Amino acid sequence: MNVIPVPKVLPRSIESDLRPILLTTTFAKLLESFVGSWILERITIKLDDHQYGALKQRSTTHALGDMTHHWLNAVDKGQSVRAVFVDFTKAFDHVDHDILVAKMRALDLSDVIICWMCSFLRHRRQRVVIGDVMSDCDWVQMVAGMPRGSYLGPLTFVIRIDTLHPICLTHKFIDDTTYDDRDFQQIRH
C-alpha cells in the first residue's frame, strides 16, 4: 500500500508532526466499510457505554455532555471533581494484532470475520509516496499497528481498549481517555 505523510499541524518535525495516511482503492474502502458495519452490528451492544468515538450516534458532543453532566452533579452535591485526560501517543501504531484478534474472539465475532481481519492486518507492506516520488527503500513489512486513514483503524482500536475499565468513571473517545477521580473519593470515604 502507498502511504502519504499528512501534517497534523504546521510541520516542525518529520517524526512527530506528520501522519502516515494509507491510500487504498475505492473497492478496498467499500469492502472495509461492509466488514466494519457487520462488526459494529454485532458488538456495539457489548462495548463500553462510555466509548464515544468511531461508533454510530456517538460523538465528541455526547462525550462532553456526559462528562459535564457527571461533573455538575458532583458539584451540586458538594463534591470536588478531578479529571485526568490521557491521549495514547501513536495509538494506532501500537496495536498488537494478536491481542486484537484475541479481543475479537472474546466478543464472539465469527471465525470468517476474524480470518478476514487477520488477512487484512498481516503481511501488510507499505511505502511512502510524496507527489510523484516514492521512497527509495523497498516495501516495508508492517508487523503491528493499524493503517491510518482506513475505515477499520478506529474501530479496531476501540475493540482493543474496550476492556480498559479502571475503578473510576472513564470516558473514551477512541485513543483519548478521561478519568473522573470522583469515584476514587467515594471509595475512600
Side-chain angles (χ1 to χ4, degrees), residues 48-176:
D48 185 348
D49 287 339
H50 293 286
Q51 171 58 260
Y52 293 94
L55 301 174
K56 291 180 181 178
Q57 299 177 347
R58 296 188 193 182
S59 68
T60 52
T61 303
H62 292 108
L64 291 170
D66 193 40
M67 284 187 282
T68 303
H69 171 76
H70 286 285
W71 295 342
L72 291 175
N73 277 343
V75 170
D76 286 346
K77 294 176 184 173
Q79 300 171 337
S80 63
V81 174
R82 290 178 276 178
V84 176
F85 296 87
V86 176
D87 179 26
F88 295 101
T89 303
K90 305 261 184 207
F92 292 97
D93 298 339
H94 296 111
V95 173
D96 181 287
H97 296 163
D98 293 330
I99 292 172
L100 177 63
V101 168
K103 298 239 180 205
M104 293 175 80
R105 287 192 194 290
L107 288 168
D108 294 324
L109 287 172
S110 75
D111 288 340
V112 170
I113 289 298
I114 292 172
C115 286
W116 187 91
M117 284 297 295
C118 287
S119 177
F120 175 76
L121 295 172
R122 293 202 170 105
H123 309 296
R124 181 177 288 280
R125 299 178 322 138
Q126 68 183 34
R127 66 181 174 187
V128 177
V129 176
I130 301 174
D132 294 336
V133 179
M134 293 180 207
S135 54
D136 289 337
C137 62
D138 290 328
W139 292 88
V140 175
Q141 183 81 27
M142 305 308 295
V143 294
M146 293 304 303
R148 293 187 190 189
S150 71
Y151 180 90
L152 292 172
L155 175 60
T156 53
F157 192 77
V158 165
I159 291 169
R160 171 67 182 92
I161 66 163
D162 184 59
T163 54
L164 174 65
H165 295 288
I167 59 174
C168 58
L169 179 62
T170 305
H171 289 80
K172 304 173 198 170
F173 193 86
I174 306 176
D175 64 330
D176 297 303

